[in-house]
Short mmCIF file of all heavy atoms in Angstrom, two decimals:
data_model
loop_
_atom_site.label_atom_id
_atom_site.label_comp_id
_atom_site.label_asym_id
_atom_site.label_seq_id
_atom_site.Cartn_x
_atom_site.Cartn_y
_atom_site.Cartn_z
N SER A 1 84.10 90.61 90.80
CA SER A 1 85.34 89.87 90.56
C SER A 1 86.12 89.78 91.87
O SER A 1 86.17 90.73 92.65
CB SER A 1 86.19 90.54 89.49
OG SER A 1 86.62 91.82 89.91
N LEU A 2 86.71 88.62 92.10
CA LEU A 2 87.43 88.36 93.35
C LEU A 2 88.85 87.93 93.03
O LEU A 2 89.07 87.06 92.20
CB LEU A 2 86.70 87.28 94.15
CG LEU A 2 87.29 86.83 95.49
CD1 LEU A 2 86.17 86.34 96.41
CD2 LEU A 2 88.31 85.70 95.30
N GLN A 3 89.80 88.56 93.69
CA GLN A 3 91.20 88.17 93.59
C GLN A 3 91.68 87.75 94.97
O GLN A 3 91.68 88.57 95.91
CB GLN A 3 92.06 89.33 93.08
CG GLN A 3 93.56 89.06 93.08
CD GLN A 3 93.95 87.98 92.10
OE1 GLN A 3 93.50 87.96 90.96
NE2 GLN A 3 94.81 87.06 92.54
N LEU A 4 92.02 86.48 95.12
CA LEU A 4 92.56 86.00 96.39
C LEU A 4 93.99 86.51 96.54
O LEU A 4 94.87 86.17 95.76
CB LEU A 4 92.53 84.47 96.42
CG LEU A 4 93.03 83.81 97.71
CD1 LEU A 4 92.10 84.14 98.88
CD2 LEU A 4 93.13 82.30 97.52
N GLU A 5 94.21 87.36 97.55
CA GLU A 5 95.53 87.96 97.74
C GLU A 5 96.44 87.13 98.64
O GLU A 5 97.65 87.07 98.43
CB GLU A 5 95.37 89.37 98.34
CG GLU A 5 94.56 90.33 97.48
CD GLU A 5 95.26 90.72 96.19
OE1 GLU A 5 96.48 90.47 96.08
OE2 GLU A 5 94.60 91.27 95.29
N SER A 6 95.86 86.49 99.65
CA SER A 6 96.66 85.67 100.57
C SER A 6 95.74 84.76 101.36
O SER A 6 94.55 85.06 101.53
CB SER A 6 97.48 86.55 101.52
OG SER A 6 96.64 87.44 102.24
N ALA A 7 96.29 83.65 101.83
CA ALA A 7 95.55 82.71 102.66
C ALA A 7 96.54 81.99 103.56
O ALA A 7 97.64 81.65 103.12
CB ALA A 7 94.78 81.72 101.79
N TRP A 8 96.15 81.74 104.81
CA TRP A 8 97.08 81.13 105.74
C TRP A 8 96.34 80.39 106.86
O TRP A 8 95.22 80.70 107.20
CB TRP A 8 98.02 82.18 106.34
CG TRP A 8 97.35 83.24 107.17
CD1 TRP A 8 97.23 83.26 108.54
CD2 TRP A 8 96.70 84.43 106.71
NE1 TRP A 8 96.56 84.40 108.95
CE2 TRP A 8 96.22 85.13 107.84
CE3 TRP A 8 96.48 84.98 105.44
CZ2 TRP A 8 95.54 86.34 107.74
CZ3 TRP A 8 95.78 86.17 105.34
CH2 TRP A 8 95.33 86.84 106.48
N LEU A 9 97.02 79.39 107.39
CA LEU A 9 96.51 78.65 108.53
C LEU A 9 96.98 79.29 109.83
O LEU A 9 98.13 79.75 109.91
CB LEU A 9 97.01 77.21 108.50
CG LEU A 9 96.43 76.27 107.44
CD1 LEU A 9 97.20 74.95 107.46
CD2 LEU A 9 94.95 76.03 107.67
N ASN A 10 96.10 79.30 110.83
CA ASN A 10 96.49 79.64 112.19
C ASN A 10 96.10 78.48 113.09
O ASN A 10 94.95 78.02 113.05
CB ASN A 10 95.77 80.91 112.69
CG ASN A 10 96.35 82.17 112.09
OD1 ASN A 10 97.49 82.20 111.65
ND2 ASN A 10 95.56 83.23 112.08
N SER A 11 97.03 78.02 113.89
CA SER A 11 96.78 76.93 114.83
C SER A 11 97.10 77.42 116.23
O SER A 11 98.17 78.02 116.46
CB SER A 11 97.65 75.72 114.48
OG SER A 11 97.49 74.69 115.42
N TYR A 12 96.20 77.18 117.17
CA TYR A 12 96.32 77.73 118.52
C TYR A 12 96.53 76.62 119.54
O TYR A 12 95.67 75.75 119.72
CB TYR A 12 95.06 78.53 118.88
CG TYR A 12 94.86 79.75 118.03
CD1 TYR A 12 94.28 79.64 116.76
CD2 TYR A 12 95.23 81.02 118.46
CE1 TYR A 12 94.10 80.76 115.96
CE2 TYR A 12 95.04 82.14 117.67
CZ TYR A 12 94.48 82.00 116.42
OH TYR A 12 94.30 83.11 115.63
N ASP A 13 97.67 76.66 120.23
CA ASP A 13 97.93 75.80 121.37
C ASP A 13 97.51 76.53 122.64
O ASP A 13 97.13 77.71 122.60
CB ASP A 13 99.42 75.44 121.43
CG ASP A 13 99.88 74.62 120.23
OD1 ASP A 13 99.03 73.87 119.68
OD2 ASP A 13 101.05 74.73 119.85
N VAL A 14 97.61 75.84 123.77
CA VAL A 14 97.26 76.45 125.05
C VAL A 14 98.11 77.71 125.27
O VAL A 14 99.34 77.68 125.11
CB VAL A 14 97.46 75.46 126.21
CG1 VAL A 14 97.24 76.14 127.56
CG2 VAL A 14 96.51 74.28 126.06
N GLY A 15 97.46 78.80 125.62
CA GLY A 15 98.15 80.07 125.85
C GLY A 15 98.25 80.97 124.63
O GLY A 15 98.62 82.14 124.75
N HIS A 16 97.93 80.45 123.46
CA HIS A 16 97.99 81.25 122.24
C HIS A 16 96.77 82.17 122.13
O HIS A 16 95.69 81.88 122.65
CB HIS A 16 98.05 80.36 121.00
CG HIS A 16 99.36 79.66 120.84
ND1 HIS A 16 99.65 78.87 119.74
CD2 HIS A 16 100.47 79.63 121.62
CE1 HIS A 16 100.88 78.40 119.85
NE2 HIS A 16 101.39 78.82 120.98
N SER A 17 96.94 83.27 121.41
CA SER A 17 95.84 84.22 121.19
C SER A 17 96.20 85.11 120.02
O SER A 17 97.24 84.93 119.38
CB SER A 17 95.60 85.07 122.45
OG SER A 17 96.74 85.86 122.75
N GLN A 18 95.34 86.07 119.73
CA GLN A 18 95.60 87.03 118.64
C GLN A 18 95.20 88.41 119.12
O GLN A 18 94.09 88.62 119.59
CB GLN A 18 94.78 86.66 117.42
CG GLN A 18 95.17 87.42 116.17
CD GLN A 18 96.29 86.74 115.40
OE1 GLN A 18 96.08 85.72 114.79
NE2 GLN A 18 97.48 87.30 115.43
N GLU A 19 96.13 89.34 119.03
CA GLU A 19 95.87 90.69 119.48
C GLU A 19 94.89 91.40 118.54
O GLU A 19 94.73 90.99 117.38
CB GLU A 19 97.16 91.50 119.54
CG GLU A 19 97.78 91.84 118.19
CD GLU A 19 98.69 90.75 117.66
OE1 GLU A 19 98.71 89.64 118.22
OE2 GLU A 19 99.39 91.02 116.65
N PRO A 20 94.21 92.46 119.00
CA PRO A 20 93.35 93.23 118.10
C PRO A 20 94.14 93.77 116.91
O PRO A 20 95.22 94.31 117.07
CB PRO A 20 92.85 94.37 119.00
CG PRO A 20 92.90 93.81 120.38
CD PRO A 20 94.13 92.94 120.39
N HIS A 21 93.58 93.57 115.72
CA HIS A 21 94.27 93.98 114.50
C HIS A 21 93.26 94.04 113.36
O HIS A 21 92.11 93.62 113.51
CB HIS A 21 95.39 92.98 114.15
CG HIS A 21 94.87 91.62 113.79
ND1 HIS A 21 94.34 90.74 114.73
CD2 HIS A 21 94.76 90.97 112.60
CE1 HIS A 21 93.95 89.63 114.13
NE2 HIS A 21 94.19 89.74 112.83
N ASN A 22 93.69 94.55 112.22
CA ASN A 22 92.88 94.47 111.01
C ASN A 22 93.78 94.09 109.84
O ASN A 22 95.00 94.01 109.99
CB ASN A 22 92.11 95.78 110.75
CG ASN A 22 93.03 96.95 110.45
OD1 ASN A 22 93.79 96.94 109.49
ND2 ASN A 22 92.97 97.98 111.30
N HIS A 23 93.20 93.84 108.69
CA HIS A 23 93.95 93.36 107.53
C HIS A 23 93.99 94.38 106.39
O HIS A 23 94.33 94.05 105.27
CB HIS A 23 93.34 92.07 106.98
CG HIS A 23 93.37 90.92 107.93
ND1 HIS A 23 92.88 89.67 107.60
CD2 HIS A 23 93.81 90.82 109.21
CE1 HIS A 23 93.01 88.85 108.64
NE2 HIS A 23 93.58 89.53 109.62
N SER A 24 93.59 95.59 106.67
CA SER A 24 93.43 96.58 105.61
C SER A 24 94.78 96.99 105.01
O SER A 24 95.71 97.37 105.73
CB SER A 24 92.72 97.82 106.18
OG SER A 24 92.47 98.75 105.16
N THR A 25 94.87 96.87 103.69
CA THR A 25 96.03 97.37 102.95
C THR A 25 95.52 97.99 101.65
O THR A 25 94.32 97.93 101.35
CB THR A 25 97.03 96.24 102.61
OG1 THR A 25 96.44 95.39 101.62
CG2 THR A 25 97.40 95.43 103.84
N GLN A 26 96.42 98.52 100.87
CA GLN A 26 96.04 99.13 99.60
C GLN A 26 95.43 98.12 98.65
O GLN A 26 94.57 98.45 97.83
CB GLN A 26 97.27 99.78 98.96
CG GLN A 26 96.96 100.55 97.68
CD GLN A 26 98.20 101.25 97.14
OE1 GLN A 26 99.28 101.18 97.73
NE2 GLN A 26 98.05 101.94 96.01
N ASP A 27 95.84 96.84 98.76
CA ASP A 27 95.39 95.81 97.82
C ASP A 27 94.26 94.94 98.34
O ASP A 27 93.75 94.08 97.62
CB ASP A 27 96.57 94.90 97.45
CG ASP A 27 97.70 95.66 96.79
OD1 ASP A 27 97.40 96.56 95.99
OD2 ASP A 27 98.86 95.37 97.10
N VAL A 28 93.87 95.13 99.59
CA VAL A 28 92.89 94.24 100.23
C VAL A 28 91.71 95.05 100.75
O VAL A 28 91.89 96.09 101.39
CB VAL A 28 93.55 93.48 101.41
CG1 VAL A 28 92.50 92.75 102.25
CG2 VAL A 28 94.60 92.51 100.90
N ASN A 29 90.48 94.59 100.46
CA ASN A 29 89.32 95.30 101.02
C ASN A 29 88.35 94.40 101.79
O ASN A 29 87.50 94.90 102.52
CB ASN A 29 88.58 96.11 99.96
CG ASN A 29 88.27 95.31 98.71
OD1 ASN A 29 88.28 94.08 98.71
ND2 ASN A 29 87.97 96.01 97.62
N PHE A 30 88.46 93.08 101.64
CA PHE A 30 87.65 92.17 102.43
C PHE A 30 88.50 91.01 102.92
O PHE A 30 89.48 90.61 102.26
CB PHE A 30 86.46 91.63 101.62
CG PHE A 30 85.35 92.63 101.45
CD1 PHE A 30 85.32 93.46 100.35
CD2 PHE A 30 84.34 92.74 102.40
CE1 PHE A 30 84.32 94.40 100.19
CE2 PHE A 30 83.33 93.67 102.25
CZ PHE A 30 83.30 94.50 101.14
N SER A 31 88.13 90.47 104.06
CA SER A 31 88.85 89.36 104.67
C SER A 31 87.85 88.31 105.13
O SER A 31 86.64 88.55 105.19
CB SER A 31 89.69 89.84 105.86
OG SER A 31 90.64 90.80 105.44
N GLY A 32 88.38 87.14 105.44
CA GLY A 32 87.49 86.07 105.89
C GLY A 32 88.22 85.04 106.71
O GLY A 32 89.45 85.03 106.81
N CYS A 33 87.43 84.17 107.33
CA CYS A 33 87.97 83.10 108.17
C CYS A 33 87.04 81.90 108.10
O CYS A 33 85.81 82.06 108.14
CB CYS A 33 88.12 83.59 109.61
SG CYS A 33 88.90 82.40 110.71
N ILE A 34 87.63 80.72 107.96
CA ILE A 34 86.87 79.47 108.00
C ILE A 34 87.38 78.65 109.18
O ILE A 34 88.59 78.49 109.36
CB ILE A 34 87.03 78.67 106.69
CG1 ILE A 34 86.46 79.47 105.51
CG2 ILE A 34 86.33 77.31 106.79
CD1 ILE A 34 86.67 78.81 104.16
N TYR A 35 86.45 78.13 109.97
CA TYR A 35 86.80 77.39 111.19
C TYR A 35 86.90 75.91 110.86
O TYR A 35 85.91 75.20 110.76
CB TYR A 35 85.76 77.70 112.28
CG TYR A 35 85.89 79.13 112.72
CD1 TYR A 35 85.34 80.16 111.96
CD2 TYR A 35 86.64 79.46 113.84
CE1 TYR A 35 85.52 81.48 112.32
CE2 TYR A 35 86.81 80.78 114.21
CZ TYR A 35 86.26 81.79 113.46
OH TYR A 35 86.46 83.09 113.81
N LEU A 36 88.14 75.46 110.69
CA LEU A 36 88.41 74.10 110.21
C LEU A 36 88.33 73.07 111.33
O LEU A 36 87.81 71.98 111.14
CB LEU A 36 89.80 74.04 109.57
CG LEU A 36 90.03 74.97 108.38
CD1 LEU A 36 91.50 74.96 108.00
CD2 LEU A 36 89.17 74.55 107.20
N ASN A 37 88.87 73.41 112.47
CA ASN A 37 88.80 72.55 113.65
C ASN A 37 88.46 73.43 114.84
O ASN A 37 89.29 74.22 115.30
CB ASN A 37 90.13 71.83 113.87
CG ASN A 37 90.05 70.80 114.99
OD1 ASN A 37 89.19 69.92 114.97
ND2 ASN A 37 90.93 70.91 115.97
N TYR A 38 87.22 73.31 115.31
CA TYR A 38 86.75 74.27 116.31
C TYR A 38 85.71 73.64 117.21
O TYR A 38 84.69 73.12 116.74
CB TYR A 38 86.17 75.51 115.63
CG TYR A 38 85.81 76.62 116.59
CD1 TYR A 38 86.79 77.47 117.09
CD2 TYR A 38 84.50 76.80 117.03
CE1 TYR A 38 86.47 78.48 117.99
CE2 TYR A 38 84.17 77.80 117.91
CZ TYR A 38 85.17 78.64 118.40
OH TYR A 38 84.86 79.62 119.29
#
């Protein structure tokens, strides 16, 4: 069984990036990413 907890868009302009991080919380055990424009 799958419960979608959250979903969001990230858009990157020149100079943008993402620091090392994880998504682990009490309510979340798996995460994912789909490359929409890449």
